[in-house]
Amino acid sequence: MNIRHLARTNVLALEPYQSARRLGGKGDIWLNANEYPLPPSYALRGDKLNRYPSCQPPGVINGYAAYAGVRPEQVLVCRGADEGIELVIRTFCEPGTDAILFCPPTYGMYSVSAETFGITCRTVRTRQNWQLNLPEIRAQLDGVKLIYICSPNNPTGNIIDPDAIRELLEMIHGRALLVVDEAYIDFYLQASLTGWLAEYSHLVILRTLSKAFALAGLRCGFVLANEEVVQLLLKVITPYPLALPVADIAEQALSVDGLRQTRARVAETNANRESLVRALAACLCVREVYPSASNYLLVWFDPAYQVFKTLCNRGIILRDQSNQPGLADCLRITIGTQEECQDVVAVLKALNPFSSLSKES
Ligand code: PMP
């Protein structure tokens, strides 16, 4: 029996998110998913797997609230920031009526989550410097319930100008919520907007343990917002979003020692990134390395397909961004270990632009 005709029309039409795992590839140096290159070592504690976990484990909520400098009532924990993106849509958007707005080039899950729930996507391209085009956003606000802004932006790496975000918050006051995706903010914590929650009841911030906490496999993220928003999200979230082992490890990651390890990881990643920036700038196949406040670099190559393929043949997997608006010939490189960064540079140093390698080879 053909089951396809029973599926929802928008699901049939949906282009699923091309995650790094879905795209796959063969290699031993994985620089395509903005993960931390080495696993942290946490041991599972507790043996009560016969019991359901708490929906919002207090140890995790209190730990993250202390880390982020907010009150526990302002924290919701979920299965990664991806679940946070979806929860806000399911809580605030009316299918068939409301729209979300985001500013490409940016993270791909805002559109996938919206489309899955029958919510219209409106896009306003960023300016050439990847900052917000406020007049155009203002012109597109009709019917928009949520605006997603990613800062540092994936894949461009830039922080979105806080003055523009403030102007946007004032502009949409009373009609929409602003969701700021801070998945990578731990690499540049001074730019976090958590301090603004007290001022703006319509500000929502997404966070994750997948990046600086080196726990992408754990699937643990957070929504930070005012209590009224958190209470609404709690009506929609599944009864037991966090498996007991997840809560156990998240709590350890947020302990004094866990946070010390994260701070060390951030310092090391940022130092590796800056060395990689300098080394890449000296490679002939590199046209521009864009400044980044996170654990990846966006690089404009000459040409990107050659670099991607050559590295791929050496088992080094990057993320091709050339199909994103305005990012022709751009690849995203996750900051790996120092050795992994050096391996990338060693291959690229040997590459000249316009070399004999053809597109087909
Ligand atoms: N937001 C952005 C900007 C991301 O890059 C990612 C990770 N790909 C996510 C959210 C989702 O993170 P998580 O692993 O917490 O679901």
Side-chain angles (χ1 to χ4, degrees):
M1 191 180 88
N2 179 5
I3 295 293
R4 278 182 66 83
H5 75 284
L6 299 176
R8 287 164 55 208
T9 318
N10 57 346
V11 171
L12 287 175
L14 186 73
E15 189 79 52
Y17 179 67
Q18 294 297 316
S19 69
R21 283 294 167 281
R22 234 181 205 163
L23 288 170
K26 276 208 173 74
D28 23 65
I29 301 188
W30 292 89
L31 306 179
N32 64 343
N34 296 343
E35 299 148 325
Y36 187 72
L38 302 167
S41 56
Y42 295 112
L44 280 177
R45 310 167 300 187
D47 54 2
K48 299 247 169 53
L49 289 178
N50 57 319
R51 298 290 176 199
Y52 281 115
S54 151
C55 175
Q56 296 288 292
V60 179
I61 294 290
N62 294 333
Y64 203 80
Y67 168 68
V70 299
R71 283 182 285 110
E73 303 76 52
Q74 296 174 307
V75 181
L76 175 131
V77 63
C78 52
R79 273 180 292 121
D82 277 340
E83 190 185 25
I85 292 169
E86 189 184 289
L87 267 180
V88 185
I89 290 176
R90 287 170 58 208
T91 305
F92 288 96
C93 294
E94 202 72 67
T97 311
D98 291 338
I100 69 159
L101 185 150
F102 55 91
C103 303
T106 192
Y107 185 46
M109 277 304 289
Y110 312 132
S111 60
V112 173
S113 287
E115 282 164 19
T116 313
F117 291 104
I119 309 298
T120 308
C121 290
R122 200 140 328 137
T123 55
V124 174
R125 283 271 301 271
T126 47
R127 297 179 184 283
Q128 263 194 326
N129 59 359
W130 297 316
Q131 292 295 335
L132 303 179
N133 183 341
L134 288 177
E136 193 51 33
I137 293 177
R138 188 192 298 276
Q140 296 288 334
L141 278 182
D142 208 28
V144 167
K145 193 61 89 50
L146 296 174
I147 299 181
Y148 282 87
I149 299 292
C150 188
S151 182
N153 187 41
N154 179 7
T156 54
N158 60 300
I159 294 281
I160 304 299
D161 175 14
D163 290 339
I165 296 186
R166 197 180 278 282
E167 208 176 320
L168 185 55
L169 279 164
E170 305 288 348
M171 189 192 297
I172 65 172
H173 185 88
R175 52 200 284 196
L177 277 80
L178 179 65
V179 185
V180 180
D181 184 342
E182 293 192 342
Y184 299 94
I185 202 71
D186 312 86
F187 298 99
Y188 196 74
L189 259 188
Q190 60 268 44
S192 173
L193 300 185
T194 46
W196 294 14
L197 286 172
E199 231 177 308
Y200 297 106
S201 58
H202 58 307
L203 171 63
V204 177
I205 294 171
L206 304 175
R207 294 285 195 88
T208 181
L209 297 188
S210 296
K211 312 297 176 184
F213 285 81
L215 290 169
L218 193 65
R219 311 306 303 126
C220 186
F222 299 88
V223 181
L224 310 179
N226 280 295
E227 196 176 348
E228 210 177 357
V229 172
V230 170
Q231 287 303 322
L232 287 166
L233 298 175
L234 283 173
K235 291 177 83 169
V236 177
I237 199 167
T238 53
Y240 313 107
L242 248 57
L244 276 169
V246 174
D248 179 7
I249 288 170
E251 203 176 310
Q252 295 178 52
L254 294 164
S255 67
V256 172
D257 187 53
L259 292 178
R260 189 188 48 73
Q261 290 179 42
T262 292
R263 276 192 294 273
R265 245 179 254 120
V266 165
E268 183 207 2
T269 303
N270 288 346
N272 284 350
R273 183 188 66 224
E274 293 315 305
S275 312
L276 184 60
V277 168
R278 285 189 294 275
L280 286 173
C283 294
L284 289 172
C285 61
V286 170
R287 285 189 159 184
E288 192 160 356
V289 185
Y290 299 101
S292 167
S294 63
N295 68 338
Y296 52 86
L297 284 173
L298 186 74
V299 184
W300 181 20
F301 284 103
D302 183 17
Y305 72 86
Q306 187 192 51
V307 171
F308 189 86
K309 196 170 185 328
T310 308
L311 285 168
C312 195
N313 290 341
R314 306 286 182 89
I316 302 175
I317 317 293
L318 306 190
R319 187 70 182 244
D320 188 359
Q321 297 291 342
S322 44
N323 56 354
Q324 283 245 39
L327 301 189
D329 273 316
C330 287
L331 303 177
R332 193 192 67 193
I333 311 177
T334 301
I335 308 303
T337 61
Q338 203 177 9
E339 293 71 33
E340 288 173 335
C341 294
Q342 284 163 356
D343 286 351
V344 171
V345 172
V347 176
L348 296 189
K349 274 219 166 110
L351 254 185
N352 286 326
F354 316 112
S355 82
S356 55
L357 193 79
S358 81
K359 223 169 194 163
E360 285 70 42
S361 67

